[in-house]
Amino acid sequence: MLINVPETVVPDALRGLAACHPELIVDVDNRVIVRRDAPVEDKVGLVSGGGSGHEPLHGGFVGPGMLDAACPGEVFTSPVPDQMVRAAAAVDSGKGVLFIVKNYTGDVLNFDMAAELAEDEGIQVAKVLVNDDAAVTDSLYTAGRRGTGATLFVEKIAGAAADEGAPLERVESIARRVNELSRSFGVALSACSTPAKGGPTFDLPAGELELGVGIHGEPGRERRAMMTSREIADYAVEVVVEDLRPDSPVLLLVNGMGATPQLELYGFAAEVHRALGERRVAVARTLVGNYVTSLDMAGASITLCQVDEDLLRLWDAPVRTAGLRWGA
């Protein structure tokens, strides 16, 4: 691995983020990433976070049009409430703060505690839980569906609404709606390796894949012999469409798990578009790349989000972050 020692992987990465992105304030010691112009006057603050190893989620999505702050934990480990309270205090302009929380037990408990502590300090806090994974209901890390690729959709669309000056209740409502209209499904072609372990975190023999894998390597629905890109797309699209039953155009995220090259991801995207077209699902926008990763896992996930004109407008609104940017 391209590291110094496992114990300093996260602070080393944060120092690199600070050096490369002066538009961010990166508190390496306290593990908080904040947009430099925070708090933005008359704007709801958006805060998210989670275990490191999923980059660019979440720190790479801090900036105009998305998050105001992010709290990175250790690799695959929730950040702690103190980080979240610091972040909330740094971005609160008086209009309140929205916590965007992926549905993993540690994240949920710590963000709940942080919300209570922040409210004790006079900060109005709302919370939205992301639980979009259609693969399984419960897992090693969760009660209920896991939070995966829809986190990007929630952070982008809610971030655009906050930038327009929407009040906290409205931003929260939009974020909840995006989550409810989203579903994801992931496939692993190889296991990920954590710096602490120095090797694969689970056993996936060569020539096999895990259908429905979680972003920490949690077991999915089933394990099969290797399938073609076309076969994987048909399987994943069938699961997501059957669960979501979209009756309007969708946003499509074709997401790499960390070790799958763009050449393969775009080939897979072609198959996903074909499979959706055969099921009469119209795609309004497509995003392809590594956005919600699992360290060095080979594989991909797809996320669909049903959109109307308003949600599509918010998706298209300008964004300027380290990991996602378009528009003025």
Side-chain angles (χ1 to χ4, degrees):
M1 295 182 179
L2 189 62
I3 64 174
N4 292 316
V5 293
E7 294 76 13
T8 65
V9 166
V10 174
D12 287 348
L14 291 176
R15 281 192 289 271
L17 187 68
C20 299
H21 293 281
E23 71 275 16
L24 301 175
I25 297 174
V26 182
D27 185 338
V28 176
D29 292 333
N30 292 303
R31 309 285 178 89
V32 178
I33 304 163
V34 182
R35 52 186 287 183
R36 187 165 291 277
D37 58 351
V40 180
E41 186 177 359
D42 292 328
K43 177 188 174 302
V44 170
L46 267 64
V47 174
S48 192
S52 296
H54 305 302
E55 289 74 18
L57 191 78
H58 294 272
F61 297 148
V62 174
M66 286 192 82
L67 298 175
D68 293 276
C71 307
E74 291 294 333
V75 173
F76 291 177
T77 303
S78 171
V80 298
D82 283 352
Q83 291 172 259
M84 302 160 188
V85 175
R86 284 179 182 272
V91 306
D92 180 36
S93 70
K95 292 196 68 175
V97 174
L98 179 66
F99 284 166
I100 299 173
V101 188
K102 301 191 304 302
N103 188 32
Y104 297 96
T105 302
D107 290 30
V108 172
L109 292 174
N110 286 341
F111 270 103
D112 283 349
M113 185 179 299
E116 294 178 6
L117 294 172
E119 287 171 348
D120 288 343
E121 296 185 8
I123 301 171
Q124 183 183 6
V125 176
K127 303 186 297 294
V128 169
L129 190 68
V130 182
N131 56 352
D132 56 301
D133 193 349
V136 297
T137 301
D138 298 297
S139 75
L140 298 177
Y141 292 76
T142 63
R145 296 177 185 263
R146 302 174 294 213
T148 58
T151 312
L152 183 150
F153 290 150
V154 172
E155 292 177 356
K156 171 63 185 75
I157 293 173
D163 269 13
E164 290 184 347
L168 181 59
E169 295 79 7
R170 172 67 174 156
V171 178
E172 177 188 6
S173 174
I174 288 172
R176 291 188 187 282
R177 184 163 176 246
V178 172
N179 176 65
E180 291 166 0
L181 294 173
S182 298
R183 296 291 187 278
S184 297
F185 190 87
V187 180
L189 310 182
S190 73
C192 56
S193 300
T194 62
K197 185 176 177 61
T201 57
F202 64 97
D203 178 37
L204 184 59
E208 294 186 6
L209 49 75
E210 185 81 27
L211 293 164
V213 72
I215 58 173
H216 306 96
E218 305 99 317
R221 288 192 169 193
E222 62 176 304
R223 188 168 291 186
R224 287 190 182 181
M226 190 60 65
M227 301 159 65
T228 65
S229 177
R230 183 184 185 92
E231 292 168 337
I232 294 170
D234 281 330
Y235 188 107
V237 167
E238 182 65 26
V239 171
V240 172
V241 170
E242 179 65 23
D243 197 311
L244 185 60
R245 297 188 180 278
D247 55 8
S248 61
V250 299
L251 303 176
L252 167 62
L253 170 64
V254 177
N255 173 67
M257 294 294 201
T260 300
Q262 291 277 69
L263 180 69
E264 295 176 31
L265 287 177
Y266 271 99
F268 183 56
E271 296 295 350
V272 173
H273 269 264
R274 173 197 53 78
L276 289 169
E278 291 174 356
R279 291 161 177 79
R280 301 179 182 275
V281 178
V283 178
R285 302 285 188 275
T286 305
L287 183 65
V288 179
N290 291 294
Y291 293 101
V292 184
T293 61
S294 184
L295 292 169
D296 61 345
M297 182 186 290
S301 64
I302 64 169
T303 304
L304 302 183
C305 176
Q306 291 190 76
V307 289
D308 56 18
E309 289 185 3
D310 188 47
L311 292 182
L312 188 59
R313 178 185 61 80
L314 292 169
W315 173 256
D316 286 340
V319 57
R320 296 194 307 278
T321 69
L324 194 71
R325 59 179 58 214
W326 58 66

